[in-house]
Amino acid sequence: MTTMTETLTAEQVKQTEAKHVLQLYRRAPIVLVRGEGARVWDSDGKSYLDFTSGVGVAALGHANPGLAAVIADQARVLVHTSNLFFHPFQGQLAEKLCRLSGLDRAFFCNSGTEAVEACLKFARRYWFTRGETSRTQFVALSRAFHGRTFGSLSITADPHYREPFGPLLAGATFVDAADPAALAAAVTDQTAAIVLEPIQGEGGVRPLSAAFAAAVNEAARRTGTLVIADEVQSGLGRTGHAFYAPVLGLEPDLVAIGKALGAGIPIGAALMRERVAQTISPGDHGSTYGGNLLACRAALYFVDQLLDGSLLAHVTRVGAHFELRLRELAARHPIVTEVRGQGVMRGLELTVPASNVVDAARPLGLLANATAKTVLRLLPPLTVTESEIDEAIGVIDTAMASAGGRS
Ligand code: PMP
């Protein structure tokens, strides 16, 4: 059996896209055709260590045999039924996600943006049902990224993403994560929810401080506002923890997840407390694809690995090694001004555009990603090994020497 990608040359792939695909992405100039574990291969047969994992999605590595077997098995039986009917897997997946998160119910959708969107709607519905119909405002953070639908875009800070699409949702305000007092001032009895990423991903891999988390808890206690944690990037094991909000001492009422959940098959979810769930009625929200059999089977396979504990222990172990090696690297390269992150979610703040390093690393066999202009972001699969980390560090070392000079 052949695929189109195998029959087209890299040049043909690029030309066809240039002509027919909406030009939204500045793609790296390679065509990826195959993967295995932490590695991918391009159409010329060149291999790369993948420290993007599809922006934090391929949590179990590429072409994971166990995951592939589960997907193939389900594809032969029943892929999709819609939410008109029961199927055996949504309830099981919801139960396991509740066990993992300590929350009570799950709504399934297809992406991180949709998960955030659902959380925003559920927060408004919560106050509406309780008769506080004017309580509609959201307090979000500078540097936040929550997605690109109108709701999630409305609480995404970057003017570059927002400006062309106004007017956005009314009632969103932004506070700086370095300023707990600003949060205290912004949250009132008109705030429906505070929305935050426990570690800001696209904003440059920035964990929230303990002081800020304490201010969130205090504001929630004072006003009764809901707290929404967007764990689309930081959740589901990437930090060595199932979720990062509890590590900060936060107790969110709603949690958005996506990315790693299906380990490559699109699925997202909004997890919530019972008191929120009780305010929502049939028909309030929904999705045709959301939580279909194929996506739930993939997610069950992944979530079982998280519940088993050994994957989290692995991330904690290799994450500590990763941090050590990154700090050594930073000490050798004056262009690195800060090492941030947890587990296998890491960012290096640079004095030069991070794309310089990304572009220098790619021909040397490493895929990484630049975010917030000057942050080199590294998101390998959760299954990455210490020797693969060492290999990546070696490439970054060389790439940094060529991209920014060396001490
Ligand atoms: N929230 C966060 C924290 C994210 O990092 C992202 C994606 N980078 C999203 C939401 C949006 O997810 P998706 O692209 O799957 O819609």
Side-chain angles (χ1 to χ4, degrees):
M1 192 173 63
T2 57
T3 66
M4 286 302 283
T5 320
E6 282 165 345
T7 57
L8 296 182
T9 65
E11 216 32 60
Q12 286 170 324
V13 169
K14 288 178 206 167
Q15 277 170 15
T16 314
E17 279 216 8
K19 213 166 155 193
H20 298 292
V21 174
L22 185 65
Q23 296 296 292
L24 289 173
Y25 306 105
R26 283 183 210 90
R27 298 197 205 281
I30 55 174
V31 179
L32 298 179
V33 295
R34 184 166 73 83
E36 193 180 318
R39 273 173 222 279
V40 288
W41 280 261
D42 73 12
S43 51
D44 295 329
K46 180 175 168 58
S47 83
Y48 305 84
L49 262 179
D50 181 7
F51 272 45
T52 69
S53 57
V55 199
V57 167
L60 299 176
H62 297 286
N64 179 288
L67 180 66
V70 161
I71 294 170
D73 176 60
Q74 194 58 43
R76 281 188 214 101
V77 179
L78 191 62
V79 168
H80 178 83
T81 58
S82 85
N83 284 296
L84 293 174
F85 311 101
F86 289 99
H87 69 64
F89 306 121
Q90 260 194 39
Q92 282 182 52
L93 180 58
E95 188 273 324
K96 288 180 177 182
L97 288 170
C98 290
R99 212 181 324 147
L100 208 58
S101 64
L103 294 168
D104 301 306
R105 287 182 191 273
F107 160 75
F108 292 109
C109 51
N110 313 288
S111 67
T113 301
E114 287 180 41
V116 171
E117 198 74 22
C119 288
L120 298 178
K121 285 184 71 178
F122 296 156
R124 283 215 171 151
R125 181 59 158 121
Y126 174 84
W127 294 111
F128 182 86
T129 307
R130 291 167 56 111
E132 295 194 41
T133 50
S134 67
R135 193 161 183 166
T136 56
Q137 300 187 357
F138 295 107
V139 176
L141 271 57
S142 310
R143 297 199 172 101
F145 183 91
H146 296 291
R148 300 182 187 257
T149 52
F150 273 114
S152 59
L153 184 62
S154 300
I155 50 159
T156 290
D158 192 336
H160 176 76
Y161 297 138
R162 300 166 59 87
E163 256 172 31
F165 302 105
L168 299 177
L169 214 57
T173 52
F174 294 93
V175 299
D176 197 309
D179 192 352
L183 180 89
V187 178
T188 70
D189 62 4
Q190 294 302 292
T191 306
I194 302 169
V195 195
L196 52 85
E197 296 156 86
I199 301 181
Q200 295 188 315
E202 305 300 309
V205 191
R206 298 168 189 278
L208 295 184
S209 68
F212 193 82
V216 170
N217 286 335
E218 171 54 24
R221 194 198 53 74
R222 177 172 50 87
T223 64
T225 183
L226 297 173
V227 176
I228 300 173
D230 178 348
E231 296 247 27
V232 167
Q233 196 164 141
S234 60
L236 302 177
R238 183 151 289 285
T239 65
H241 304 273
F243 295 93
Y244 202 68
V247 178
L248 293 169
L250 292 166
E251 293 179 354
D253 302 286
L254 292 132
V255 175
I257 53 175
K259 290 197 189 282
L261 180 56
I265 300 296
I267 178 170
L271 310 177
M272 73 209 76
R273 289 186 193 288
E274 191 65 23
R275 71 178 171 117
V276 178
Q278 285 306 324
T279 63
I280 297 161
S281 303
D284 277 351
H285 196 53
S287 165
T288 297
Y289 279 126
N292 83 12
L293 289 90
L294 188 75
C296 283
R297 277 297 298 282
L300 275 167
Y301 184 81
F302 173 61
V303 169
D304 279 342
Q305 321 256 327
L306 286 183
L307 283 169
D308 155 78
S310 55
L311 185 59
L312 291 176
H314 173 84
V315 173
T316 300
R317 198 186 72 242
V318 300
H321 179 75
F322 202 7
E323 174 158 15
L324 193 78
R325 298 303 318 267
L326 287 170
R327 292 203 181 280
E328 287 169 8
L329 186 82
R332 285 197 296 277
H333 294 278
I335 63 166
V336 183
T337 57
E338 201 177 3
V339 178
R340 293 192 293 262
Q342 286 288 322
V344 292
M345 179 175 185
R346 299 286 174 178
L348 301 182
E349 184 74 54
L350 308 182
T351 57
V352 298
S355 57
N356 293 3
V357 178
V358 169
D359 291 341
R362 194 168 47 250
L364 302 172
L366 176 74
L367 303 184
N369 164 252
T371 191
K373 291 197 174 66
T374 53
V375 178
L376 180 68
R377 182 171 48 166
L378 302 166
L379 301 171
L382 308 191
T383 50
V384 69
T385 63
E386 278 150 330
S387 68
E388 286 163 345
I389 287 171
D390 290 346
E391 193 182 328
I393 296 283
V395 173
I396 299 168
D397 211 349
T398 311
M400 279 187 174
S402 67
R406 171 174 202 150
S407 60

